[in-house]
Amino acid sequence: MSPRDREGKMRSFVEVALTNKGVWVARLSMCGLASLGLAGCSGSSGSSSSTPTSSAVTVSVSGASSVRLGSTVQFVATVTNTTNSAVTWKVNGVAGGAAATGTISTAGVYTPPLSLPGTNPVTISAASVASPTASGSVSEAIWNPVPSVTAGTATQTSPGTSYLLDVVGANFASGATIQINGAAVMTTYVSPTELQAGITLTAGAATVPVTVVNPDPGSSSSATVQASVTSVAASLTAAARLLDQATFGPTLADIQHVQTVGIGAYLTEQFNTAPTLLPALSLAPKAICTATNLTPCEQSEWWQAALTGPDQLRQRVALALAEIFVVSTNSVNAQSVVTYQNMLATDAFSNFATIMKDVTVSTAMGGYLNMLQSNKPGNGQIANENFAREEMQLFSVGLNLLNQDGTPQLDSTGNPIPTYTEAQVQAFARAYTGWTYATAAGGVPTKFPNNTANYALPMVAVESAHDTTAKMLLNGTVLSAGGTSQQDLTGALANLFSHPNVGPFVCRQLIQHLVASNPSGAYVSRVAAVFANNGNGVRGDMQAVIKAILTDSEARAGDTNEGAEGGHLREGILYVANVIRGLGFVNSSSVGDYSALGNYSATLNERPYAAGSVFNFFPPDYVIPDSTINAPEFGQENTATGMLRLTLADNVVYNRISGFTGNLSATSGLGLTAANPANLVDSLGIVFMHGQMPATMRTAIINHIAGLTDMGQRVRVATYLIITSPQYKVLH
């Protein structure tokens, strides 16, 4: 065979092989190969042997090309050229995937991550188990979920056309926008379930159509929901400031309520709310007390009423009265203090004359200032002056004559004019003799003194122990000789109540406790005028006085002017109560013990009804050293209490308040806002700073917590920085 013939025959064999690529060649004659003159071929008779060669294993992947967060997608792997169809599923090359990019099950079900991955789309691949180098893949785009709206509320932020729109639902993505009638509004992302926006509405609108649109990738819209429109009678700031002055601390629910009903209507509601009264202390008390030490039980009941009572204004005024008409468990029985607190709460909205009378005959005051068991003096002796002196100096008229604005009247030499003399103190002391414990049934005992204590009822008089001589009181008033115990007491109290000093003296202290440490003379004068006449000719009307204090232009100036002067340091009791209420802490004691709070307020030099003297925890005329600023609560502020307040705040944010539980974790309401540091700080600022946090303070806190990746830690640090700030410590 010629070389050309051999070449042609060889080409025909190659062509046959090429036309059967990937398929076994059934037979190739070795003799044929030999006939081509190929080396290594040998001829033989019979059938020829063959060696099969397999084609490559292939894998292909199919499934949807996109998936939304919160959904799943099924992928299918098709394996060819092997009977083993098993595959290993991977996401971005990682078997089974990962939290950041999504996971995939052995059955090929892909679950996207909780949020959009940094690299999007991701690669879904399947590798043959039989031939691991054989694999197939697809690109999978991760889209935002489809949002859904459950409800919306547009709440007027202040009288006018401005509203805060709050939309709640599910699957809100970062960057989601609220649309009203198809027009997008500037939206604040609060959480995956809440969005907010400031909007303007025309008067009279009852509803507003709301749609939420999630952004790309996979932009989608919710169904349209009609959000309700709520008009308000007070701004958020005005509502929060009022509650700071008139309660034991604002809560978000109370702020919203005051916004809705208005300041005047809220005060009317509170005036009509029945008093929360402390239960009598049993001689077989709960585990926190003993029969010889009932003070922890008294403390527990007081804190519970202050924190949870619906009559917040009444309880707050009762505290102010208790810090004017001071009694202390340091020297009186806790059972009498319970009765005394209930009396002040009941009388808080009555008439000041009623308060004076009920304080005077209470066993708590009687025991504290020695009117209880005060006998008529013998010849050459004087009656116990303790109550008579303090009643004038601290409870009613004060040391010096006053103008209606609370400033002292001066004599011709420029000196203050004393309100009373020592002789008049002694006359009042004799007017208050003969009072002792009532019998169990409330009757008059047969002997004096009666040493069988009855703390539940007012004192009664034993006439044989009463001084019946004539008594020269203030302003020329004389109690005639022969008067009974009740007649002299009534006459003495009427003489004090009618004195022109009482209005400015008492009203100034009430303003200091509720609104401002250093009120202007004009503010005091306006309220004192209401004390003198409520508009209907009634003197001492406490409802009218309290309303005048809280609605005065000086009290409300800060509602619209952040730079308005005024306010007062949060005394220890109020600081503890405000923080506990504002953060929503709840009692967790198995026996309902609230008394531990008194231990915390004691580190700030206050425990309810445990003042060190009749001059209260701080005197009303205290002036900050090296200044002329009258700021009573600063009388208990020093380096030690400053540091201890920081420690207390730390215990609060780390949930270490004995007997109480709070939630400042990543899953709390505040924690759900923490992904956006600004939203978290603003949420805290509503409750603790009336929505008036200074811009520099707000920025500093936002920038600081933005570096924290633990959402619970963000909440705790932000809370700590706010409640320890000077701006919060002073109630503005």
Side-chain angles (χ1 to χ4, degrees):
M1 182 180 296
S2 70
R4 181 178 298 274
D5 292 336
R6 286 198 300 270
E7 180 181 352
K9 203 163 189 175
M10 179 64 180
R11 183 180 295 113
S12 67
F13 277 101
V14 173
E15 288 173 350
V16 170
L18 288 174
T19 59
N20 291 280
K21 182 180 180 181
V23 182
W24 286 101
V25 178
R27 178 176 299 172
L28 189 61
S29 170
M30 300 306 291
C31 293
L33 289 175
S35 68
L36 293 176
L38 297 179
C41 285
S42 60
S44 66
S45 60
S47 64
S48 65
S49 64
S50 64
T51 303
T53 301
S54 66
S55 62
V57 174
T58 63
V59 180
S60 62
V61 177
S62 61
S65 61
S66 63
V67 61
R68 293 189 181 275
L69 295 178
S71 301
T72 60
V73 61
Q74 176 70 63
F75 288 99
V76 175
T78 302
V79 182
T80 60
N81 301 326
T82 178
T83 58
N84 184 352
S85 62
V87 295
T88 299
W89 288 101
K90 300 178 181 180
V91 180
N92 283 359
V94 177
T101 56
T103 59
I104 191 164
S105 71
T106 56
V109 177
Y110 172 67
T111 301
L114 296 178
S115 58
L116 293 175
T119 300
N120 191 11
V122 298
T123 299
I124 307 296
S125 61
S128 169
V129 172
S131 180
T133 59
S135 66
S137 65
V138 295
S139 181
E140 186 69 8
I142 314 300
W143 288 359
N144 278 314
V146 176
S148 64
V149 176
T150 304
T153 302
T155 303
Q156 198 173 20
T157 53
S158 60
T161 60
S162 296
Y163 288 77
L164 176 65
L165 177 61
D166 189 80
V167 177
V168 294
N171 298 328
F172 299 157
S174 178
T177 57
I178 299 172
Q179 289 189 353
I180 298 175
N181 290 323
V185 296
M186 186 69 71
T187 303
T188 298
Y189 178 82
V190 178
S191 73
T193 60
E194 184 177 13
L195 302 174
Q196 291 182 341
I199 62 174
T200 299
L201 294 178
T202 56
T207 61
V208 57
V210 171
T211 306
V212 170
V213 178
N214 273 349
D216 282 326
S219 177
S220 59
S221 301
S222 71
T224 299
V225 170
Q226 294 295 324
S228 61
V229 176
T230 302
S231 297
V232 300
S235 69
L236 182 150
T237 295
R241 288 188 72 251
L242 174 78
L243 292 166
D244 224 350
Q245 296 162 344
T247 74
F248 279 94
T251 66
L252 187 58
D254 285 347
I255 291 171
Q256 292 171 337
H257 177 66
V258 176
Q259 281 187 271
T260 301
V261 303
I263 289 174
Y266 176 77
L267 294 178
T268 299
E269 287 177 355
Q270 287 291 297
F271 288 144
N272 293 327
T273 301
T276 300
L277 301 180
L278 311 189
L281 303 182
S282 169
L283 293 181
K286 61 181 69 171
I288 62 175
C289 305
T290 66
T292 57
N293 181 19
L294 296 171
T295 300
C297 283
E298 171 263 318
Q299 288 279 302
S300 178
E301 300 298 347
W302 185 91
W303 280 106
Q304 184 172 0
L307 292 177
T308 66
D311 55 331
Q312 281 290 297
L313 177 59
R314 186 186 292 273
Q315 295 294 328
R316 180 67 185 275
V317 172
L319 173 64
L321 293 171
E323 293 190 348
I324 297 172
F325 297 96
V326 176
V327 301
S328 175
T329 50
N330 292 344
S331 58
V332 299
N333 190 284
Q335 293 178 87
S336 68
V337 170
V338 166
T339 304
Y340 192 76
Q341 163 65 18
N342 288 343
M343 177 270 294
L344 291 181
T346 300
D347 288 356
F349 300 154
S350 63
N351 193 286
F352 193 74
T354 302
I355 296 172
M356 291 179 65
K357 174 182 71 67
D358 289 346
V359 165
T360 299
V361 297
S362 67
T363 59
M365 184 60 75
Y368 191 56
L369 292 181
N370 310 120
M371 181 177 153
L372 178 70
Q373 318 292 28
S374 178
N375 206 341
K376 62 185 177 182
N379 291 334
Q381 297 179 327
I382 59 174
N384 190 299
E385 299 178 2
N386 205 8
F387 175 70
R389 185 181 306 279
E390 306 305 351
E391 181 187 38
M392 288 193 285
Q393 179 180 345
L394 302 176
F395 304 162
S396 59
V397 296
L399 289 172
N400 301 307
L401 295 180
L402 300 174
N403 297 308
Q404 183 168 291
D405 65 0
T407 58
Q409 296 183 24
L410 304 177
D411 62 18
S412 58
T413 63
N415 292 314
I417 304 169
T419 308
Y420 53 86
T421 65
E422 175 60 24
Q424 288 169 321
V425 172
Q426 293 178 5
F428 276 97
R430 287 185 286 112
Y432 299 140
T433 54
W435 293 83
T436 188
Y437 290 114
T439 64
V444 178
T446 57
K447 62 180 181 178
F448 185 95
N450 174 23
N451 293 320
T452 303
N454 181 349
Y455 301 118
L457 296 173
M459 296 186 295
V460 295
V462 176
E463 293 304 326
S464 62
H466 177 62
D467 182 283
T468 58
T469 62
K471 305 159 183 79
M472 176 67 74
L473 306 181
L474 303 180
N475 298 330
T477 297
V478 176
L479 298 179
S480 301
T484 65
S485 301
Q486 186 62 61
Q487 288 171 338
D488 280 359
L489 182 141
T490 300
L493 294 178
N495 178 245
L496 292 174
F497 176 67
S498 63
H499 194 282
N501 263 26
V502 177
F505 184 77
V506 172
C507 291
R508 189 174 197 279
Q509 292 189 69
L510 289 172
I511 292 170
Q512 288 179 313
H513 283 288
L514 298 176
V515 176
S517 293
N518 198 19
S520 70
Y523 187 5
V524 174
S525 182
R526 289 190 293 268
V527 178
V530 174
F531 183 96
N533 183 343
N534 69 350
N536 295 305
V538 177
R539 178 177 176 81
D541 178 355
M542 287 296 290
Q543 283 194 28
V545 167
I546 294 163
K547 185 173 184 179
I549 289 172
L550 294 173
T551 60
D552 188 85
S553 59
E554 198 163 319
R556 304 269 53 87
D559 294 354
T560 54
N561 179 10
E562 295 181 26
E565 295 293 333
H568 61 91
L569 180 73
R570 295 179 196 275
E571 58 184 282
I573 291 170
L574 292 182
Y575 182 84
V576 171
N578 289 179
V579 169
I580 293 297
R581 280 174 56 85
L583 293 175
F585 275 56
V586 295
N587 186 261
S588 58
S589 166
S590 60
V591 292
D593 178 18
Y594 283 69
S595 67
L597 294 180
N599 298 331
Y600 296 104
S601 67
T603 64
L604 306 181
N605 290 333
E606 279 196 348
R607 189 192 298 269
Y609 282 111
S613 77
V614 72
F615 295 96
N616 190 30
F617 304 106
F618 44 82
D621 58 354
Y622 179 82
V623 174
I624 296 177
D626 299 321
S627 79
T628 58
I629 301 173
N630 176 208
E633 298 85 355
F634 276 92
Q636 57 182 190
E637 182 81 348
N638 52 50
T639 303
T641 58
M643 293 301 296
L644 289 169
R645 198 177 292 243
L646 299 180
T647 301
L648 174 57
D650 188 69
N651 285 330
V652 168
V653 300
Y654 281 101
N655 203 19
R656 293 194 294 257
I657 299 299
S658 179
F660 283 80
T661 298
N663 184 4
L664 299 182
S665 69
T667 59
S668 66
L670 288 170
L672 294 177
T673 71
N676 185 320
N679 289 343
L680 170 61
V681 173
D682 290 342
S683 296
L684 289 166
I686 289 173
V687 173
F688 291 114
M689 303 197 74
H690 322 132
Q692 293 179 313
M693 187 180 297
T696 53
M697 175 182 176
R698 178 178 181 272
T699 299
I701 296 176
I702 290 171
N703 290 343
H704 181 73
I705 66 172
L708 303 174
T709 57
D710 182 324
M711 296 301 104
Q713 189 70 346
R714 277 190 184 180
V715 174
R716 291 186 287 272
V717 171
T719 302
Y720 177 86
L721 292 174
I722 289 172
I723 66 176
T724 58
S725 67
Q727 293 90 335
Y728 177 68
K729 288 170 63 177
V730 176
L731 190 164
H732 293 284

